[in-house]
């Protein structure tokens, strides 16, 4: 088991619905170390870069419009197997398939407003952390 860092984000729906405390509570209770955290409004160009893998898909425009529609909470989480652990905590992409006890299972109901984001692999985590944070914004 390795200590990893992952990029986690509370999406605009989560912030708008006052779920920041609930989600951060779960992150802390699980034992992740929060090494970076900020409330921010994502610029369109940054959103397009972040979701680059989805360019050309039918939901791309809606996805970029949604993620830039209001502030998000951007975080870097550190822990054993943090990348997979955080995705497990979030649950399936489509809240209709997400198990009870997961963030999406408990707090979301539609795929386009699914409350949270998590990097899907080591290379993605490194890329996404770099998109949203300067090294100086992260604690050692
Ligand atoms: P995220 O990247 O947000 O953590 P994910 O890795 O589980 O979610 P991706 O396949 O990367 O899922 O899709 C990114 C986001 O795009 C999803 O969280 C969802 O909001 C949206 N999305 C994915 N597939 C669809 C779809 N078929 N229709 C509408 N939105 C979708
Ligand atoms: Mg993804």
């Amino acid at each position: 088991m390795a200590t990893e860092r992952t990029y986690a984000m509370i999406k605009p729906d989560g912030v708008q619905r006052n779920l920041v405390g609930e989600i951060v509570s779960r992150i802390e209770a699980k034992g992740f170390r929060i090494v970076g955290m900020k409330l921010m409004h994502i610029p369109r160009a940054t959103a397009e870069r972040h979701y680059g893998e989805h360019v050309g898909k039918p939901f791309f425009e809606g996805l970029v419009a949604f993620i830039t529609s209001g502030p998000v909470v951007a975080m870097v989480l550190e822990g054993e197997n943090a990348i997979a652990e955080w995705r497990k905590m979030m649950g399936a992409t489509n809240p209709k398939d997400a198990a009870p006890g997961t963030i999406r299972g408990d707090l979301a109901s539609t795929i386009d407003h699914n409350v949270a984001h998590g990097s899907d692999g080591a290379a993605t985590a490194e890329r996404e952390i770099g998109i949203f944070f300067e090294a100086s914004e992260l604690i050692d």
Side-chain angles (χ1 to χ4, degrees):
M1 298 252 278
T3 299
E4 292 174 337
R5 288 183 171 190
T6 192
Y7 177 65
M9 180 163 66
I10 303 173
K11 295 183 179 182
D13 55 333
V15 176
Q16 204 265 329
R17 291 173 55 218
N18 297 321
L19 295 172
V20 172
E22 164 79 30
I23 294 169
V24 173
S25 278
R26 291 179 182 221
I27 288 168
E28 291 185 320
K30 180 70 179 175
F32 287 114
R33 200 162 81 95
I34 300 172
V35 298
M37 187 180 201
K38 61 185 171 186
L39 183 72
M40 64 181 288
H41 202 128
I42 305 179
R44 187 179 172 90
T46 304
E48 288 176 346
R49 212 175 135 209
H50 172 69
Y51 282 126
E53 64 174 307
H54 299 301
V55 171
K57 294 184 186 170
F59 59 86
F60 178 75
E61 277 307 322
L63 186 56
V64 170
F66 167 61
I67 210 71
T68 58
S69 67
V72 302
V73 175
M75 291 173 280
V76 178
L77 309 182
E78 187 181 272
E80 294 287 320
N81 290 326
I83 298 166
E85 287 298 322
W86 172 238
R87 285 185 69 89
K88 211 192 295 175
M89 277 182 73
M90 288 195 301
T93 304
N94 190 337
K96 291 179 172 39
D97 301 324
T102 65
I103 289 167
R104 288 163 171 165
D106 292 347
L107 306 175
S109 46
T110 61
I111 191 169
D112 51 342
H113 288 63
N114 58 4
V115 168
H117 165 83
S119 307
D120 61 11
T124 314
E126 196 178 333
R127 189 176 84 84
E128 293 178 347
I129 290 169
I131 289 174
F132 289 95
F133 288 92
E134 304 281 349
S136 62
E137 294 177 297
L138 304 176
I139 62 172
D140 289 333

